[in-house]
Amino acid sequence: MLSMQLKNGEYLTIGEDIVVQVFQMGSSFRVAVEAPKEIPIVRGEIREREGRRPACIKERKPKSPSRQERDKRRDFKRSAQAD
């Protein structure tokens, strides 16, 4: 597996037909993919629901306690705003 760091707006190509570009959106990233229609593009979480996790994918590190608390506060604020 190739692993590389890309800066906001940079892209990589796979062969001649596939282009992947990354964009930083605050604390997350958006990934834009251009590929032929016959090549399926599926989020990893969908594959994992079907029990199909690629062997090359590393496990995520568990969130730190401070990150878990921050996520809980954010989720609470969002749910309060939705009510």
Side-chain angles (χ1 to χ4, degrees):
M1 172 189 279
L2 171 66
S3 177
M4 63 175 58
Q5 290 181 314
L6 297 174
K7 294 178 182 173
N8 187 37
E10 290 185 331
Y11 67 93
L12 62 93
T13 61
I14 302 171
E16 294 294 321
D17 298 330
I18 301 173
V19 179
V20 179
Q21 188 173 20
V22 296
F23 299 96
Q24 187 169 1
M25 308 290 286
S27 62
S28 62
F29 291 87
R30 190 179 95 207
V31 178
V33 180
E34 176 75 28
K37 290 182 180 182
E38 61 271 8
I39 298 177
I41 301 171
V42 182
R43 288 178 66 108
E45 63 188 60
I46 304 299
R47 289 182 58 105
E48 289 183 19
R49 274 190 233 148
E50 299 169 351
R52 301 182 311 147
R53 182 182 179 92
C56 61
I57 300 298
K58 297 178 182 177
E59 292 293 327
R60 292 185 195 180
K61 293 180 182 177
K63 291 183 180 178
S64 67
S66 60
R67 177 70 182 227
Q68 289 173 356
E69 187 60 35
R70 185 173 57 227
D71 288 351
K72 284 180 190 176
R73 285 194 307 268
R74 182 195 66 217
D75 293 343
F76 178 76
K77 286 179 184 177
R78 286 182 182 169
S79 65
Q81 291 172 349
D83 293 338

Short mmCIF file of all heavy atoms in Angstrom, two decimals, residues 10-70:
data_model
loop_
_atom_site.label_atom_id
_atom_site.label_comp_id
_atom_site.label_asym_id
_atom_site.label_seq_id
_atom_site.Cartn_x
_atom_site.Cartn_y
_atom_site.Cartn_z
N GLU A 10 -4.15 19.34 -3.14
CA GLU A 10 -3.28 18.47 -3.93
C GLU A 10 -4.04 17.22 -4.36
O GLU A 10 -5.08 16.88 -3.80
CB GLU A 10 -2.04 18.08 -3.13
CG GLU A 10 -1.08 19.24 -2.92
CD GLU A 10 0.20 18.82 -2.23
OE1 GLU A 10 0.21 17.86 -1.45
OE2 GLU A 10 1.21 19.49 -2.49
N TYR A 11 -3.51 16.54 -5.35
CA TYR A 11 -4.18 15.36 -5.88
C TYR A 11 -3.16 14.29 -6.25
O TYR A 11 -1.97 14.54 -6.34
CB TYR A 11 -5.03 15.72 -7.10
CG TYR A 11 -4.22 16.14 -8.31
CD1 TYR A 11 -3.86 15.21 -9.27
CD2 TYR A 11 -3.82 17.45 -8.48
CE1 TYR A 11 -3.11 15.58 -10.39
CE2 TYR A 11 -3.08 17.84 -9.58
CZ TYR A 11 -2.73 16.90 -10.54
OH TYR A 11 -1.99 17.28 -11.62
N LEU A 12 -3.68 13.10 -6.46
CA LEU A 12 -2.87 12.00 -6.98
C LEU A 12 -3.67 11.34 -8.08
O LEU A 12 -4.88 11.48 -8.17
CB LEU A 12 -2.51 11.00 -5.88
CG LEU A 12 -3.66 10.26 -5.19
CD1 LEU A 12 -3.92 8.94 -5.88
CD2 LEU A 12 -3.30 10.04 -3.74
N THR A 13 -2.96 10.64 -8.97
CA THR A 13 -3.63 9.91 -10.03
C THR A 13 -3.33 8.43 -9.89
O THR A 13 -2.27 8.05 -9.39
CB THR A 13 -3.17 10.39 -11.43
OG1 THR A 13 -1.77 10.16 -11.56
CG2 THR A 13 -3.47 11.86 -11.65
N ILE A 14 -4.28 7.62 -10.31
CA ILE A 14 -4.11 6.17 -10.33
C ILE A 14 -4.31 5.78 -11.79
O ILE A 14 -5.42 5.89 -12.32
CB ILE A 14 -5.13 5.46 -9.41
CG1 ILE A 14 -4.96 5.98 -7.98
CG2 ILE A 14 -4.95 3.95 -9.49
CD1 ILE A 14 -6.04 5.52 -7.03
N GLY A 15 -3.24 5.36 -12.41
CA GLY A 15 -3.30 5.12 -13.85
C GLY A 15 -3.60 6.41 -14.57
O GLY A 15 -3.26 7.49 -14.12
N GLU A 16 -4.27 6.29 -15.71
CA GLU A 16 -4.63 7.48 -16.50
C GLU A 16 -6.05 7.94 -16.23
O GLU A 16 -6.42 9.05 -16.58
CB GLU A 16 -4.48 7.16 -17.99
CG GLU A 16 -3.05 6.90 -18.42
CD GLU A 16 -2.17 8.13 -18.29
OE1 GLU A 16 -2.65 9.25 -18.59
OE2 GLU A 16 -1.01 7.99 -17.87
N ASP A 17 -6.87 7.07 -15.59
CA ASP A 17 -8.30 7.34 -15.52
C ASP A 17 -8.83 7.76 -14.16
O ASP A 17 -9.99 8.11 -14.04
CB ASP A 17 -9.08 6.09 -15.94
CG ASP A 17 -8.78 5.70 -17.38
OD1 ASP A 17 -8.48 6.60 -18.19
OD2 ASP A 17 -8.85 4.50 -17.69
N ILE A 18 -8.02 7.70 -13.11
CA ILE A 18 -8.54 7.98 -11.76
C ILE A 18 -7.74 9.13 -11.15
O ILE A 18 -6.51 9.11 -11.13
CB ILE A 18 -8.46 6.73 -10.86
CG1 ILE A 18 -9.26 5.59 -11.50
CG2 ILE A 18 -8.97 7.05 -9.46
CD1 ILE A 18 -9.12 4.27 -10.80
N VAL A 19 -8.47 10.12 -10.63
CA VAL A 19 -7.85 11.27 -9.96
C VAL A 19 -8.51 11.40 -8.59
O VAL A 19 -9.73 11.34 -8.46
CB VAL A 19 -8.06 12.58 -10.75
CG1 VAL A 19 -7.43 13.75 -10.02
CG2 VAL A 19 -7.49 12.46 -12.15
N VAL A 20 -7.68 11.55 -7.54
CA VAL A 20 -8.16 11.73 -6.17
C VAL A 20 -7.58 13.04 -5.66
O VAL A 20 -6.36 13.23 -5.68
CB VAL A 20 -7.73 10.55 -5.26
CG1 VAL A 20 -8.23 10.77 -3.85
CG2 VAL A 20 -8.22 9.23 -5.83
N GLN A 21 -8.45 13.95 -5.20
CA GLN A 21 -8.02 15.24 -4.68
C GLN A 21 -8.55 15.42 -3.27
O GLN A 21 -9.68 15.00 -2.98
CB GLN A 21 -8.52 16.38 -5.58
CG GLN A 21 -7.95 17.73 -5.22
CD GLN A 21 -8.34 18.80 -6.23
OE1 GLN A 21 -9.29 18.67 -6.98
NE2 GLN A 21 -7.57 19.88 -6.23
N VAL A 22 -7.74 16.00 -2.39
CA VAL A 22 -8.16 16.19 -1.00
C VAL A 22 -8.31 17.68 -0.69
O VAL A 22 -7.57 18.52 -1.21
CB VAL A 22 -7.17 15.56 0.01
CG1 VAL A 22 -7.13 14.06 -0.15
CG2 VAL A 22 -5.78 16.13 -0.14
N PHE A 23 -9.30 17.98 0.16
CA PHE A 23 -9.57 19.34 0.60
C PHE A 23 -9.77 19.31 2.10
O PHE A 23 -10.53 18.49 2.60
CB PHE A 23 -10.83 19.91 -0.05
CG PHE A 23 -10.75 19.99 -1.54
CD1 PHE A 23 -11.28 18.97 -2.32
CD2 PHE A 23 -10.13 21.05 -2.16
CE1 PHE A 23 -11.21 19.02 -3.69
CE2 PHE A 23 -10.05 21.11 -3.54
CZ PHE A 23 -10.60 20.09 -4.31
N GLN A 24 -9.11 20.21 2.82
CA GLN A 24 -9.31 20.29 4.26
C GLN A 24 -10.51 21.19 4.52
O GLN A 24 -10.62 22.29 3.97
CB GLN A 24 -8.07 20.85 4.95
CG GLN A 24 -8.19 20.79 6.45
CD GLN A 24 -6.88 21.08 7.14
OE1 GLN A 24 -5.88 21.35 6.51
NE2 GLN A 24 -6.89 21.02 8.45
N MET A 25 -11.42 20.68 5.35
CA MET A 25 -12.64 21.41 5.71
C MET A 25 -12.67 21.52 7.23
O MET A 25 -13.26 20.66 7.90
CB MET A 25 -13.88 20.67 5.21
CG MET A 25 -13.85 20.28 3.73
SD MET A 25 -13.97 21.68 2.64
CE MET A 25 -15.67 22.07 2.84
N GLY A 26 -11.99 22.51 7.78
CA GLY A 26 -11.90 22.62 9.24
C GLY A 26 -11.05 21.49 9.79
O GLY A 26 -9.90 21.33 9.42
N SER A 27 -11.66 20.66 10.65
CA SER A 27 -10.90 19.56 11.24
C SER A 27 -11.08 18.25 10.48
O SER A 27 -10.57 17.22 10.90
CB SER A 27 -11.34 19.36 12.70
OG SER A 27 -12.70 18.99 12.74
N SER A 28 -11.80 18.27 9.36
CA SER A 28 -11.98 17.05 8.57
C SER A 28 -11.51 17.29 7.14
O SER A 28 -11.04 18.37 6.80
CB SER A 28 -13.44 16.61 8.60
OG SER A 28 -14.25 17.59 8.00
N PHE A 29 -11.64 16.27 6.32
CA PHE A 29 -11.19 16.36 4.94
C PHE A 29 -12.31 15.95 3.99
O PHE A 29 -13.14 15.11 4.32
CB PHE A 29 -9.99 15.43 4.69
CG PHE A 29 -8.76 15.87 5.39
CD1 PHE A 29 -8.51 15.49 6.70
CD2 PHE A 29 -7.85 16.69 4.77
CE1 PHE A 29 -7.37 15.91 7.35
CE2 PHE A 29 -6.71 17.11 5.41
CZ PHE A 29 -6.48 16.72 6.71
N ARG A 30 -12.33 16.53 2.83
CA ARG A 30 -13.22 16.11 1.76
C ARG A 30 -12.35 15.48 0.69
O ARG A 30 -11.26 15.98 0.39
CB ARG A 30 -13.97 17.32 1.20
CG ARG A 30 -15.09 16.90 0.25
CD ARG A 30 -15.81 18.10 -0.27
NE ARG A 30 -15.16 18.40 -1.55
CZ ARG A 30 -15.10 19.58 -2.12
NH1 ARG A 30 -15.62 20.62 -1.53
NH2 ARG A 30 -14.52 19.74 -3.27
N VAL A 31 -12.80 14.38 0.13
CA VAL A 31 -12.06 13.69 -0.91
C VAL A 31 -12.91 13.70 -2.18
O VAL A 31 -14.07 13.28 -2.16
CB VAL A 31 -11.75 12.23 -0.50
CG1 VAL A 31 -11.03 11.50 -1.61
CG2 VAL A 31 -10.94 12.20 0.78
N ALA A 32 -12.33 14.20 -3.26
CA ALA A 32 -13.02 14.20 -4.55
C ALA A 32 -12.36 13.14 -5.42
O ALA A 32 -11.13 13.07 -5.51
CB ALA A 32 -12.90 15.57 -5.21
N VAL A 33 -13.18 12.29 -6.04
CA VAL A 33 -12.67 11.20 -6.87
C VAL A 33 -13.30 11.28 -8.25
O VAL A 33 -14.52 11.37 -8.38
CB VAL A 33 -12.99 9.81 -6.24
CG1 VAL A 33 -12.44 8.70 -7.12
CG2 VAL A 33 -12.46 9.71 -4.83
N GLU A 34 -12.48 11.26 -9.26
CA GLU A 34 -12.93 11.20 -10.65
C GLU A 34 -12.46 9.86 -11.19
O GLU A 34 -11.26 9.55 -11.17
CB GLU A 34 -12.30 12.34 -11.46
CG GLU A 34 -12.62 12.31 -12.93
CD GLU A 34 -14.03 12.76 -13.23
OE1 GLU A 34 -14.59 13.55 -12.47
OE2 GLU A 34 -14.59 12.31 -14.24
N ALA A 35 -13.42 9.03 -11.61
CA ALA A 35 -13.09 7.69 -12.11
C ALA A 35 -14.14 7.27 -13.13
O ALA A 35 -15.26 7.78 -13.12
CB ALA A 35 -13.05 6.70 -10.96
N PRO A 36 -13.79 6.32 -13.99
CA PRO A 36 -14.79 5.81 -14.93
C PRO A 36 -15.99 5.23 -14.18
O PRO A 36 -15.86 4.70 -13.07
CB PRO A 36 -14.03 4.71 -15.68
CG PRO A 36 -12.59 5.06 -15.52
CD PRO A 36 -12.48 5.70 -14.17
N LYS A 37 -17.17 5.32 -14.78
CA LYS A 37 -18.39 4.85 -14.14
C LYS A 37 -18.36 3.38 -13.79
O LYS A 37 -19.02 2.95 -12.86
CB LYS A 37 -19.60 5.15 -15.03
CG LYS A 37 -19.93 6.61 -15.12
CD LYS A 37 -21.15 6.85 -15.97
CE LYS A 37 -21.44 8.34 -16.00
NZ LYS A 37 -22.65 8.63 -16.78
N GLU A 38 -17.61 2.59 -14.54
CA GLU A 38 -17.59 1.14 -14.29
C GLU A 38 -16.74 0.76 -13.07
O GLU A 38 -16.75 -0.39 -12.63
CB GLU A 38 -17.12 0.36 -15.53
CG GLU A 38 -15.73 0.70 -16.01
CD GLU A 38 -15.67 1.84 -17.02
OE1 GLU A 38 -16.68 2.51 -17.27
OE2 GLU A 38 -14.57 2.06 -17.55
N ILE A 39 -16.04 1.72 -12.48
CA ILE A 39 -15.26 1.46 -11.27
C ILE A 39 -16.07 1.91 -10.06
O ILE A 39 -16.32 3.11 -9.89
CB ILE A 39 -13.90 2.18 -11.32
CG1 ILE A 39 -13.08 1.67 -12.49
CG2 ILE A 39 -13.14 2.00 -10.00
CD1 ILE A 39 -11.75 2.35 -12.68
N PRO A 40 -16.50 0.96 -9.21
CA PRO A 40 -17.30 1.36 -8.05
C PRO A 40 -16.44 2.11 -7.02
O PRO A 40 -15.29 1.75 -6.77
CB PRO A 40 -17.81 0.04 -7.48
CG PRO A 40 -16.91 -1.01 -8.03
CD PRO A 40 -16.32 -0.48 -9.29
N ILE A 41 -17.02 3.16 -6.44
CA ILE A 41 -16.37 3.92 -5.38
C ILE A 41 -17.30 3.83 -4.17
O ILE A 41 -18.43 4.30 -4.22
CB ILE A 41 -16.14 5.38 -5.79
CG1 ILE A 41 -15.27 5.43 -7.04
CG2 ILE A 41 -15.52 6.17 -4.64
CD1 ILE A 41 -15.16 6.80 -7.66
N VAL A 42 -16.82 3.19 -3.10
CA VAL A 42 -17.67 2.90 -1.94
C VAL A 42 -16.94 3.33 -0.67
O VAL A 42 -15.74 3.05 -0.51
CB VAL A 42 -18.00 1.39 -1.87
CG1 VAL A 42 -18.90 1.09 -0.70
CG2 VAL A 42 -18.62 0.92 -3.17
N ARG A 43 -17.64 4.01 0.23
CA ARG A 43 -17.05 4.39 1.53
C ARG A 43 -16.67 3.14 2.29
O ARG A 43 -17.37 2.12 2.24
CB ARG A 43 -18.06 5.18 2.35
CG ARG A 43 -18.31 6.57 1.86
CD ARG A 43 -19.37 7.24 2.72
NE ARG A 43 -18.89 7.43 4.06
CZ ARG A 43 -18.56 8.61 4.59
NH1 ARG A 43 -18.68 9.69 3.87
NH2 ARG A 43 -18.14 8.69 5.83
N GLY A 44 -15.59 3.22 3.06
CA GLY A 44 -15.13 2.08 3.84
C GLY A 44 -16.17 1.57 4.82
O GLY A 44 -16.31 0.36 5.01
N GLU A 45 -16.92 2.48 5.45
CA GLU A 45 -17.91 2.04 6.44
C GLU A 45 -18.99 1.17 5.80
O GLU A 45 -19.53 0.27 6.44
CB GLU A 45 -18.53 3.23 7.15
CG GLU A 45 -19.32 4.15 6.24
CD GLU A 45 -19.75 5.42 6.92
OE1 GLU A 45 -18.87 6.18 7.38
OE2 GLU A 45 -20.95 5.65 7.00
N ILE A 46 -19.29 1.40 4.53
CA ILE A 46 -20.29 0.58 3.83
C ILE A 46 -19.72 -0.82 3.61
O ILE A 46 -20.39 -1.82 3.87
CB ILE A 46 -20.68 1.21 2.48
CG1 ILE A 46 -21.21 2.63 2.66
CG2 ILE A 46 -21.67 0.33 1.74
CD1 ILE A 46 -22.44 2.75 3.51
N ARG A 47 -18.49 -0.88 3.17
CA ARG A 47 -17.85 -2.20 2.97
C ARG A 47 -17.77 -2.97 4.28
O ARG A 47 -18.00 -4.17 4.31
CB ARG A 47 -16.44 -2.03 2.40
CG ARG A 47 -16.41 -1.56 0.97
CD ARG A 47 -14.98 -1.46 0.47
NE ARG A 47 -14.29 -2.73 0.57
CZ ARG A 47 -14.02 -3.52 -0.46
NH1 ARG A 47 -14.38 -3.16 -1.67
NH2 ARG A 47 -13.37 -4.64 -0.29
N GLU A 48 -17.46 -2.27 5.36
CA GLU A 48 -17.31 -2.94 6.65
C GLU A 48 -18.66 -3.45 7.16
O GLU A 48 -18.70 -4.50 7.79
CB GLU A 48 -16.64 -2.01 7.65
CG GLU A 48 -15.18 -1.81 7.31
CD GLU A 48 -14.44 -0.96 8.30
OE1 GLU A 48 -14.91 -0.80 9.44
OE2 GLU A 48 -13.37 -0.43 7.92
N ARG A 49 -19.75 -2.73 6.89
CA ARG A 49 -21.07 -3.24 7.26
C ARG A 49 -21.36 -4.56 6.57
O ARG A 49 -22.08 -5.40 7.10
CB ARG A 49 -22.16 -2.24 6.87
CG ARG A 49 -22.39 -1.19 7.90
CD ARG A 49 -23.63 -0.39 7.56
NE ARG A 49 -23.24 1.01 7.56
CZ ARG A 49 -23.74 1.95 6.80
NH1 ARG A 49 -24.69 1.66 5.93
NH2 ARG A 49 -23.33 3.19 6.90
N GLU A 50 -20.81 -4.71 5.38
CA GLU A 50 -20.98 -5.95 4.62
C GLU A 50 -19.94 -7.00 5.00
O GLU A 50 -19.90 -8.07 4.41
CB GLU A 50 -20.90 -5.65 3.13
CG GLU A 50 -21.97 -4.69 2.65
CD GLU A 50 -21.73 -4.18 1.24
OE1 GLU A 50 -20.64 -4.42 0.68
OE2 GLU A 50 -22.64 -3.54 0.69
N GLY A 51 -19.06 -6.66 5.96
CA GLY A 51 -18.02 -7.59 6.40
C GLY A 51 -16.85 -7.69 5.45
O GLY A 51 -16.12 -8.68 5.46
N ARG A 52 -16.62 -6.65 4.65
CA ARG A 52 -15.53 -6.68 3.66
C ARG A 52 -14.54 -5.56 3.95
O ARG A 52 -14.59 -4.50 3.36
CB ARG A 52 -16.09 -6.51 2.26
CG ARG A 52 -17.08 -7.58 1.87
CD ARG A 52 -17.58 -7.43 0.46
NE ARG A 52 -18.04 -6.07 0.17
CZ ARG A 52 -17.93 -5.50 -1.03
NH1 ARG A 52 -17.38 -6.12 -2.03
NH2 ARG A 52 -18.38 -4.26 -1.21
N ARG A 53 -13.63 -5.79 4.87
CA ARG A 53 -12.58 -4.81 5.19
C ARG A 53 -11.30 -5.23 4.49
O ARG A 53 -10.82 -6.35 4.68
CB ARG A 53 -12.36 -4.75 6.69
CG ARG A 53 -11.33 -3.71 7.10
CD ARG A 53 -11.11 -3.74 8.60
NE ARG A 53 -10.12 -2.80 9.00
CZ ARG A 53 -10.36 -1.55 9.36
NH1 ARG A 53 -11.59 -1.11 9.40
NH2 ARG A 53 -9.38 -0.74 9.71
N PRO A 54 -10.71 -4.35 3.67
CA PRO A 54 -9.45 -4.71 3.01
C PRO A 54 -8.36 -5.03 4.03
O PRO A 54 -8.24 -4.36 5.06
CB PRO A 54 -9.09 -3.46 2.21
CG PRO A 54 -10.39 -2.73 2.04
CD PRO A 54 -11.17 -3.03 3.28
N ALA A 55 -7.59 -6.04 3.76
CA ALA A 55 -6.55 -6.49 4.70
C ALA A 55 -5.48 -5.42 4.92
O ALA A 55 -4.86 -5.38 5.97
CB ALA A 55 -5.92 -7.77 4.19
N CYS A 56 -5.28 -4.53 3.96
CA CYS A 56 -4.21 -3.54 4.06
C CYS A 56 -4.57 -2.35 4.96
O CYS A 56 -3.71 -1.55 5.30
CB CYS A 56 -3.83 -3.04 2.68
SG CYS A 56 -5.18 -2.22 1.82
N ILE A 57 -5.83 -2.21 5.37
CA ILE A 57 -6.27 -1.07 6.17
C ILE A 57 -5.89 -1.28 7.63
O ILE A 57 -6.22 -2.29 8.24
CB ILE A 57 -7.79 -0.86 6.05
CG1 ILE A 57 -8.17 -0.59 4.61
CG2 ILE A 57 -8.26 0.27 6.96
CD1 ILE A 57 -7.54 0.65 4.01
N LYS A 58 -5.21 -0.29 8.20
CA LYS A 58 -4.80 -0.35 9.60
C LYS A 58 -5.97 0.04 10.49
O LYS A 58 -6.83 0.82 10.10
CB LYS A 58 -3.63 0.60 9.86
CG LYS A 58 -2.39 0.23 9.08
CD LYS A 58 -1.30 1.23 9.33
CE LYS A 58 -0.08 0.87 8.51
NZ LYS A 58 0.99 1.83 8.66
N GLU A 59 -5.97 -0.49 11.71
CA GLU A 59 -7.00 -0.13 12.69
C GLU A 59 -6.81 1.32 13.10
O GLU A 59 -5.68 1.80 13.20
CB GLU A 59 -6.91 -1.03 13.93
CG GLU A 59 -7.30 -2.46 13.66
CD GLU A 59 -8.77 -2.63 13.32
OE1 GLU A 59 -9.61 -1.87 13.85
OE2 GLU A 59 -9.07 -3.51 12.51
N ARG A 60 -7.90 2.01 13.37
CA ARG A 60 -7.81 3.38 13.88
C ARG A 60 -7.33 3.34 15.32
O ARG A 60 -7.65 2.44 16.07
CB ARG A 60 -9.18 4.05 13.88
CG ARG A 60 -9.72 4.32 12.54
CD ARG A 60 -11.00 5.08 12.72
NE ARG A 60 -11.76 5.07 11.49
CZ ARG A 60 -12.91 5.66 11.34
NH1 ARG A 60 -13.47 6.29 12.34
NH2 ARG A 60 -13.55 5.61 10.20
N LYS A 61 -6.60 4.37 15.69
CA LYS A 61 -6.20 4.51 17.09
C LYS A 61 -7.43 4.93 17.89
O LYS A 61 -8.24 5.72 17.41
CB LYS A 61 -5.12 5.58 17.24
CG LYS A 61 -3.80 5.22 16.61
CD LYS A 61 -2.82 6.34 16.82
CE LYS A 61 -1.50 6.03 16.16
NZ LYS A 61 -0.54 7.12 16.29
N PRO A 62 -7.59 4.42 19.09
CA PRO A 62 -8.72 4.87 19.91
C PRO A 62 -8.58 6.36 20.20
O PRO A 62 -7.47 6.89 20.31
CB PRO A 62 -8.60 4.06 21.19
CG PRO A 62 -7.48 3.12 21.02
CD PRO A 62 -6.77 3.43 19.73
N LYS A 63 -9.72 7.04 20.31
CA LYS A 63 -9.69 8.47 20.62
C LYS A 63 -9.17 8.68 22.03
O LYS A 63 -9.45 7.89 22.93
CB LYS A 63 -11.09 9.07 20.51
CG LYS A 63 -11.61 9.13 19.10
CD LYS A 63 -12.96 9.81 19.09
CE LYS A 63 -13.50 9.90 17.69
NZ LYS A 63 -14.84 10.52 17.68
N SER A 64 -8.44 9.77 22.22
CA SER A 64 -7.97 10.11 23.55
C SER A 64 -9.16 10.52 24.40
O SER A 64 -10.19 10.96 23.87
CB SER A 64 -6.97 11.27 23.47
OG SER A 64 -7.64 12.44 23.06
N PRO A 65 -9.05 10.43 25.73
CA PRO A 65 -10.17 10.85 26.60
C PRO A 65 -10.60 12.29 26.35
O PRO A 65 -11.80 12.58 26.33
CB PRO A 65 -9.61 10.66 28.01
CG PRO A 65 -8.58 9.60 27.86
CD PRO A 65 -7.97 9.83 26.49
N SER A 66 -9.66 13.20 26.10
CA SER A 66 -10.03 14.60 25.85
C SER A 66 -10.78 14.73 24.53
O SER A 66 -11.73 15.51 24.41
CB SER A 66 -8.80 15.49 25.86
OG SER A 66 -7.90 15.10 24.85
N ARG A 67 -10.40 13.95 23.53
CA ARG A 67 -11.10 13.98 22.24
C ARG A 67 -12.51 13.41 22.38
O ARG A 67 -13.47 13.94 21.83
CB ARG A 67 -10.29 13.19 21.22
CG ARG A 67 -10.90 13.06 19.86
CD ARG A 67 -10.87 14.39 19.14
NE ARG A 67 -11.50 14.28 17.86
CZ ARG A 67 -10.99 14.74 16.75
NH1 ARG A 67 -9.85 15.38 16.77
NH2 ARG A 67 -11.63 14.62 15.63
N GLN A 68 -12.65 12.35 23.18
CA GLN A 68 -13.97 11.76 23.40
C GLN A 68 -14.90 12.77 24.07
O GLN A 68 -16.05 12.92 23.69
CB GLN A 68 -13.85 10.51 24.27
CG GLN A 68 -13.21 9.34 23.57
CD GLN A 68 -12.96 8.18 24.51
OE1 GLN A 68 -13.20 8.27 25.71
NE2 GLN A 68 -12.46 7.08 23.97
N GLU A 69 -14.38 13.49 25.07
CA GLU A 69 -15.19 14.48 25.78
C GLU A 69 -15.59 15.62 24.85
O GLU A 69 -16.73 16.08 24.86
CB GLU A 69 -14.41 15.02 27.00
CG GLU A 69 -15.23 15.91 27.89
CD GLU A 69 -16.45 15.23 28.47
OE1 GLU A 69 -16.40 14.02 28.76
OE2 GLU A 69 -17.48 15.92 28.62
N ARG A 70 -14.66 16.10 24.04
CA ARG A 70 -14.95 17.17 23.09
C ARG A 70 -16.02 16.73 22.09
O ARG A 70 -16.95 17.48 21.79
CB ARG A 70 -13.68 17.59 22.36
CG ARG A 70 -13.87 18.77 21.45
CD ARG A 70 -12.58 19.30 20.86
NE ARG A 70 -11.89 18.26 20.14
CZ ARG A 70 -10.59 18.00 20.28
NH1 ARG A 70 -9.85 18.70 21.11
NH2 ARG A 70 -10.01 17.05 19.58
#
